[in-house]
Amino acid sequence: MSLTTLSFELGLKAEDEQFLKDMVTQLDETIRKLVVEEKALINKIGTTRVEELIEFWKQELPEEEEHFFKMTLDYWDKILIRNWARSKRLHHTRAEVGRTFMKLNSNRGIDSKHE
């Protein structure tokens, strides 16, 4: 069940809405930190290797090549890939919270027109 579905089935209270606002603030801050960390990692690793990692991340390598490539991953490569995975999850969660707010505000507009 998505965050959006859950919040509307249960109905949002003021404290729930504040929780979501706080969540947005925390998500945005964490995303900003990950962007800074990603830039530092890219500088450390180098653009050529990062291009290879992007191919790997996007699953564009043939299966044989991917298997060999996994064996060449070092600590910093893995940290960058972990950064991308975390960033992807955070962006997804942030989008879900945004949709929840849009639906909430949309429903409030409809409710106020019918009063």
Side-chain angles (χ1 to χ4, degrees):
M1 178 178 293
S2 74
L3 180 64
T4 305
T5 307
L6 180 63
S7 62
F8 283 101
E9 285 182 0
L10 298 177
L12 279 179
K13 299 176 186 168
E15 60 268 12
D16 297 330
E17 192 170 341
Q18 185 58 49
F19 171 78
L20 289 175
K21 287 178 183 177
D22 293 343
M23 182 185 224
V24 165
T25 302
Q26 290 176 346
L27 287 166
D28 288 346
E29 181 59 29
T30 304
I31 290 168
R32 278 191 288 279
K33 287 178 182 177
L34 284 175
V35 168
V36 170
E37 182 181 321
E38 179 183 11
K39 288 177 184 177
L41 288 166
I42 288 171
N43 287 333
K44 180 182 289 268
I45 294 170
T47 55
T48 303
R49 182 61 175 176
V50 170
E51 289 172 7
E52 294 170 348
L53 289 168
I54 289 170
E55 281 184 68
F56 174 72
W57 173 253
K58 292 181 176 181
Q59 298 178 331
E60 296 174 348
L61 298 175
E63 189 175 327
E64 242 177 60
E65 203 173 316
E66 182 179 321
H67 179 69
F68 174 74
F69 189 81
K70 284 180 182 179
M71 292 188 301
T72 69
L73 294 174
D74 71 7
Y75 175 80
W76 296 113
D77 295 340
K78 291 174 185 176
I79 294 295
L80 181 58
I81 290 169
R82 215 172 289 139
N83 177 292
W84 290 339
R86 188 168 181 219
S87 181
K88 183 178 179 179
R89 284 191 310 272
L90 290 172
H91 277 94
H92 176 76
T93 302
R94 178 62 175 89
E96 282 291 315
V97 174
R99 280 192 285 280
T100 300
F101 274 121
M102 288 188 324
K103 287 184 179 184
L104 178 64
N105 289 332
S106 171
N107 285 348
R108 284 183 181 157
I110 292 170
D111 292 343
S112 64
K113 289 179 186 176
H114 294 298
E115 290 178 356

